[in-house]
Amino acid sequence: MMKDKHKIPITILVCDDDEDDRMLTQQALEDAHISNSLRFVEDGEQLLDYLYQRGAFAGETGKAPRPGLILLDLNMPKLDGREALKTIKEDETLCDIPVVVLSTSRLDQDVAQSYELGVNSFITKPITFAGLVEAMSVLGRYWLEIVELPPAPV
């Protein structure tokens, strides 16, 4: 007899340098009825500090829970999304965290490079808020309900 699996709600980590985009993403996730814990960082350096629990995220274990999904913008100051993605996917302790690029870019080069670096999905940010809510709803259904994610390390 198979054991009934209970899905444990995952933390979604949003990495975006634009405050308005972070706020819109949060609102769109709420409007899409995605009630997972959300954490926000503003650039690739903060993202890696969060993942490695260093700098502002050092110390308390609850300060930076391991995300089950990362939503990543590409074009950011300090360390951009491409560099952060490369670091994440090359690190055996982080590479199993699904990363979804959520970018305004529609450039074929950005899409191709993101997949070469190991991104799990690439979504071009919709122009309207309604489009963003729909994208977050589909993303939520797929990544949080349909896909089996790797178990969190013990």
Side-chain angles (χ1 to χ4, degrees), residues 68-110:
L69 180 65
I70 298 170
L71 301 182
L72 179 65
D73 187 22
L74 285 182
N75 300 312
M76 297 179 292
K78 296 184 183 176
L79 187 73
D80 80 359
R82 294 161 196 83
E83 295 168 284
L85 175 62
K86 184 177 190 308
T87 300
I88 292 166
K89 292 303 179 178
E90 288 178 348
D91 184 322
E92 65 182 35
T93 66
L94 301 175
C95 65
D96 63 335
I97 300 172
V99 178
V100 175
V101 166
L102 188 59
S103 177
T104 55
S105 175
R106 294 182 179 277
L107 297 175
D108 289 345
Q109 174 185 339
D110 284 340

Side-chain angles (χ1 to χ4, degrees), residues 9 13 19 22 32 39 45-46 48 60 71-72 74 77 82 85 98 100 107 113 120 123 132 136 139 150:
L13 180 57
E19 186 177 351
R22 289 192 305 272
R39 302 295 173 113
E45 281 185 11
Q46 280 188 6
L48 295 180
E60 307 165 40
L71 301 182
L72 179 65
L74 285 182
R82 294 161 196 83
L85 175 62
V100 175
L107 297 175
Q113 183 182 27
N120 298 90
I123 298 173
L132 185 60
M136 292 301 104
L139 178 130

Side-chain angles (χ1 to χ4, degrees), residues 4-10 36 140-150:
D4 187 1
K5 284 190 189 179
H6 296 286
K7 291 216 180 220
I8 298 169
I10 63 167
N36 292 65
R141 278 196 311 272
Y142 182 75
W143 284 108
L144 307 176
E145 296 174 17
I146 296 171
V147 171
E148 287 294 333
L149 296 171

